[in-house]
Amino acid sequence: MTRAQRNARKSHYGLRLLAGLFVACTIAYVLFGPKPTRSQGPKPEASFAEYTVKLSTPLSVSAAGMIIAACDGLFAQAGLRVRLVAGLDDDDAIAAVVADENTIGIASTAGFLKARSGGLPIVAFAGFYAVNPAEFYALPETKLLTPLDLEGKRIGYNPNPEFTAILSDFVSRNSLAQSKLLLLESNTPLQDLLDRKIDVLLGRHDVDGLELERLNVENKILRPEAFGVHAPGPIFFAQERTLAQPNRLEKFLMAIAGGWSAAYADLDRTIPIIANSVGTPLPFSLVARLMDSQRSLLRPFGARFGEMDSTRIRTLQSQLSQRRAIQQPIDLTRAFNYNILKETYRNEATNLSRVEP
């Protein structure tokens, strides 16, 4: 073989290698494709800690930080291989975590407390949203400006511990007459709203709000947070045994923080990635609006990335106990591990202080 032929073969091989790496970095492959072989990763296979992140919702813009962290290789740089899996509800995420110590779950704090009260060995270690994403939705013809506008309305909601606690707290704090509220439990409350079977939906910004936006359905919103209801947001949790290696979870949180920073730092670059990585591809303009609207949920004024509010958690547990939604009071000092966050803040104080939003 001549030198020219060898050089041509090397050049051709280099082009093929670059093309292969480009394909490997596509979001669909990073998030849902087969696990990389030894030759495809920047580190030997044995050096990676593998985790599955099981959501309690469809994969949406709310996971943008993790999507960008995966796409930009931030998990890999931390020695982690992370796969995102969509879920149906809290029970789905909790069951996945209980079945596998290498699974990290995301669920509502209320759903987590109920499962922990039932004896499941799970521990929360960080917040997903600092603020609860629950909102009341109504179609344009329905008046919805203040809490009193809920009286006389058919209010639909999924009968899970989170919505039940929020609705009860909202009614009591705003002195609404129970006799004037028509509360309707449903497994399909969003469709009920679209079919005019209910007047108001109590749903989630990152699920129902997103779907209304995707369907281009005009709607009105009333936020419980604006009327005295300060429920804790969803949390990251894992098996007790998983927390035996806290440094891995610290790296996991650092990578996600970096993903959020990157996501908001260059929206022109990241919006197309996010739009094509969620369960149902979304228009870029819609992703831009959703990214902007969830800023206040991720990091409201005075809160830090991943923060869990112990006062709100204790209040929620009291509410669930009073309504007998949980079997018995929980030792919150064992159910919530704050040390992982403290170490994450200490080790990455400079980077985390820059986390958007």
Side-chain angles (χ1 to χ4, degrees), residues 54-68:
K54 179 70 172 182
L55 285 70
S56 60
T57 64
L59 185 60
S60 72
V61 177
S62 64
M66 291 185 287
I67 290 171
I68 299 302

Side-chain angles (χ1 to χ4, degrees), residues 135-264:
E135 296 174 332
F136 291 100
Y137 298 93
L139 299 180
E141 63 268 22
T142 301
K143 182 180 180 182
L144 187 65
L145 298 174
T146 70
L148 286 176
D149 292 329
L150 292 177
E151 294 187 350
K153 303 289 195 307
R154 299 168 297 173
I155 304 171
Y157 64 101
N158 192 300
N160 59 45
E162 178 184 30
F163 289 152
T164 300
I166 289 172
L167 189 55
S168 176
D169 193 22
F170 188 87
V171 170
S172 62
R173 287 182 182 275
N174 292 282
S175 302
L176 300 182
Q178 287 272 11
S179 60
K180 294 183 179 180
L181 301 176
L182 181 56
L183 305 179
L184 302 173
E185 297 181 353
S186 172
N187 292 322
T188 57
L190 177 59
Q191 189 59 49
D192 292 344
L193 179 68
L194 297 175
D195 293 339
R196 271 67 173 183
K197 294 179 179 178
I198 59 175
D199 305 302
V200 178
L201 160 69
L202 176 58
R204 284 181 54 146
H205 173 87
D206 54 332
V207 179
D208 305 287
L210 185 152
E211 185 63 9
L212 288 169
E213 289 277 1
R214 189 185 70 81
L215 295 173
N216 199 28
V217 175
E218 292 187 28
N219 61 89
K220 298 177 178 179
I221 298 174
L222 190 147
R223 295 182 172 87
E225 182 86 6
F227 295 94
V229 177
H230 303 291
I235 44 87
F236 288 103
F237 66 99
Q239 281 190 26
E240 292 177 346
R241 287 179 298 193
T242 306
L243 273 71
Q245 295 180 305
N247 61 315
R248 291 181 176 179
L249 297 180
E250 292 164 20
K251 292 177 181 179
F252 172 77
L253 293 176
M254 292 177 204
I256 295 174
W260 278 118
S261 291
Y264 280 101

